[in-house]
């Protein structure tokens, strides 16, 4: 995979843990946005289901995304997520199609 990579990450909080998950996810934004190759790292919450969060991310390259996956703050979140989430985060990678 060469060039820009788009990522969606779907995150589902345990019922009653929405505020804590929101706080933890917001805490990832600053450090991640400062990482090499991060174009955007945007957090969303479903208006119809407050347990559902989504990151929409763009990275300059797959290697930048791979480095992000190994970052200290993301590793710490993964440990915390075990107690806060209903299921593992669903991550999908995308490449943009242009005409």
């Amino acid at each position: 995979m060469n060039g820009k990579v788009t990522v969606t990450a779907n995150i589902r909080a345990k019922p009653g843990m929405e505020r804590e998950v929101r706080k933890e996810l917001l805490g990832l934004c600053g450090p991640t946005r400062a990482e090499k190759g991060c174009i955007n790292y945007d957090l969303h919450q479903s208006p119809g289901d407050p347990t559902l969060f989504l990151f929409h991310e763009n990275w300059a390259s797959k290697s930048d995304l791979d480095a992000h996956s190994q970052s200290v703050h993301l590793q710490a979140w993964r440990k915390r997520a075990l107690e806060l989430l209903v299921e593992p985060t669903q991550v999908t990678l995308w490449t943009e199609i242009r005409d």
Side-chain angles (χ1 to χ4, degrees):
M1 186 176 284
N2 294 325
K4 186 173 100 172
V5 178
T6 299
V7 178
T8 60
N10 291 285
I11 301 157
R12 186 171 297 278
K14 289 180 180 175
M17 303 302 284
E18 300 90 349
R19 292 181 99 182
E20 186 66 21
V21 170
R22 180 184 173 115
K23 177 184 165 194
E24 293 283 335
L25 295 177
L26 283 170
L28 296 175
C29 292
T32 298
R33 289 176 182 148
E35 290 179 42
K36 177 187 174 291
C38 181
I39 297 168
N40 70 288
Y41 191 77
D42 302 323
L43 178 62
H44 306 269
Q45 187 174 17
S46 170
D49 181 354
T51 67
L52 186 58
F53 295 85
L54 173 110
F55 273 114
H56 176 259
E57 314 167 27
N58 283 289
W59 295 88
S61 70
K62 177 71 165 63
S63 61
D64 291 330
L65 173 61
D66 291 344
H68 164 66
S69 295
Q70 299 305 313
S71 66
V72 171
H73 55 275
L74 198 59
Q75 294 296 323
W77 158 247
R78 285 188 181 127
K79 289 178 186 171
R80 183 86 170 103
L82 295 173
E83 60 191 77
L84 296 175
L85 303 184
V86 170
E87 60 195 11
T89 300
Q90 303 298 312
V91 177
T92 54
L93 304 182
W94 303 84
T95 55
E96 185 175 2
I97 300 172
R98 292 185 173 246
D99 55 356

